[in-house]
Amino acid sequence: MTEERVTNETAAGIAAAVAAGRLTAGDAVETALARIAARDPGLNAFTDVTAERARARAAAIDAERAAGRAVGPLAGVPFAVKNLFDVAGLPTRAGSTINREHPPAARDGALVRRLEAAGAVLVGALNMGEYAYDFTGENAHDGPSRNPHDPARMTGGSSGGSGGAVAAGMVPLALGSDTNGSIRVPSAFCGTFGLKPTFGRLSRAGSFPFVGSFDHLGPLARSVADLALSYDAMQGADPDDPWQAPRPIEPVADALAQGTASLRIAVAGGYFARGGEADCFTAVRLAAEAVGAYRTVEIPEAARARAAAFIITAAEAAGLHLDRLRERPGDYDPAVRDRLIAGTTIPAAWVHRAQRFRSWYRERVLALFDEVDVILAPCTPCRALRIGQATMELDGLTVPARPNIGIFTQPISFIGLPVVAVPVRVGGGLPLAVQVIAAPWREDLALRVAGALESAGVGAAPVAG
């Protein structure tokens, strides 16, 4: 099998080839390492490459297969993780200069262990916005991750390296985190599929936190089937994560074949139908037409939800960083430091009101799922901006770019709903994406709709370059 063919295969394709003996795990890993060496210098997606570890792991998988023993559903699949995941032997940077001085992690994070238990092979750690407080993918210490479709453009953040590595074909699968949109924004800007599971679904043990009540971990990939396979491999209870919900394992990969004929699919109107560039809404229209979504619903008070999410994010993040801010303020990205310091000044009464509103908002949004199964909405209000771009035009107004990239993602993660970001090309330009939103614990429905969009040719994640 040629290098190009292996590189462009999905995780599912690589695993099937390894299981059948058409490809060795060693060859799959060497192809990924070669692509990283060739492409990453221009894209800056990786902060660490774990080549020695990856080769040893691949050799063990090949030995298992040669001995006639079964290999896992992700056997030989190279993957990488945002550098807020613990990786044994590496300090957990979380995009910061302070954390890289910490001792190396003693063991891998929970989701890294689960993917490797399924046969996947870790090849490195990925660039990210400092402490995940970022929508752009620009890191003051490691440099910006660059969009494979146009290296002068942002990848989006804070899982910018994850989006860039997958979109560039360096790995077929990556892990990111999503607090206010940090899986979905890079998916939209880079043109990958991304899954933000229900809050509490996947273990967060062995990852550096940002906002405890919002943080989610999940995969980015070039196909919906790859999202489903990796998601299934990562499910399961973990006593090391006190935030994880006591849910049974609920596999979704087999559900993709069920299609969408029985589903009630709607489009989000109101707040989600204004405030962005026209092509963002064209992408939603194309997706709606492809899956027969002709009903519109309005998510109530979404603008207020975004404001409340800002308050809680700032307050919780500031509390987490207070000691570091006092001791080493000069070692922070100034933009991140200033937002954290601002969070320390938020009155407790504001946070209390934001949390009360959050409960009200959650009840109102969940009531919509009595009438519909899935809701489609834009992912970002624009295509990838230029690296360093400080402002953007929305609705005829010049607004700060960084906070406004997440106007459509924040009201959804605010209440922990599962979402699949589906890349959509409109007009031949840079990628855009739609959010496929479902009720809590119904990742299967969101993935079925995403799979239908992929099958219809509306959702596609081509390798850049």
Side-chain angles (χ1 to χ4, degrees), residues 127-264:
N127 201 355
M128 60 175 283
E130 185 180 58
Y131 289 122
Y133 212 161
D134 167 62
F135 274 134
T136 69
E138 297 168 298
N139 185 285
H141 315 294
D142 295 309
S145 49
R146 296 181 177 275
N147 196 311
H149 298 279
D150 179 352
R153 302 274 175 172
M154 300 171 179
T155 55
S158 60
S159 307
S162 303
V166 171
M170 289 186 276
V171 287
L173 181 67
L175 294 186
S177 69
D178 190 311
T179 302
N180 286 299
S182 289
I183 287 173
R184 290 162 289 160
V185 169
S187 294
F189 279 7
C190 294
T192 75
F193 293 92
L195 170 62
K196 183 194 79 64
T198 307
F199 180 81
R201 170 69 90 172
L202 299 182
S203 174
R204 302 186 308 192
S207 65
F208 196 88
F210 173 28
V211 179
S213 64
F214 289 173
D215 291 346
H216 308 67
L217 305 180
L220 297 87
R222 293 199 297 272
S223 78
V224 177
D226 287 357
L227 290 184
L229 282 173
S230 59
Y231 169 69
D232 284 353
M234 292 186 288
Q235 289 190 56
D238 184 358
D240 292 335
D241 181 3
W243 290 86
Q244 192 179 20
R247 298 284 300 188
I249 295 175
E250 297 171 298
V252 299
D254 290 343
L256 298 182
Q258 296 178 21
T260 61
S262 63
L263 299 183
R264 302 166 298 171

Side-chain angles (χ1 to χ4, degrees), residues 114 167 180 212 275 351 374:
R114 288 184 175 175
N180 286 299
V351 180
V374 167

Side-chain angles (χ1 to χ4, degrees), residues 2 29 32 81 152 168-169 175-176 184 188 286 296 332 344 352 360 374 457:
T2 66
V29 165
V81 299
L175 294 186
R184 290 162 289 160
L286 292 173
T296 300
Y332 280 83
T344 67
H352 177 65
W360 177 91
V374 167

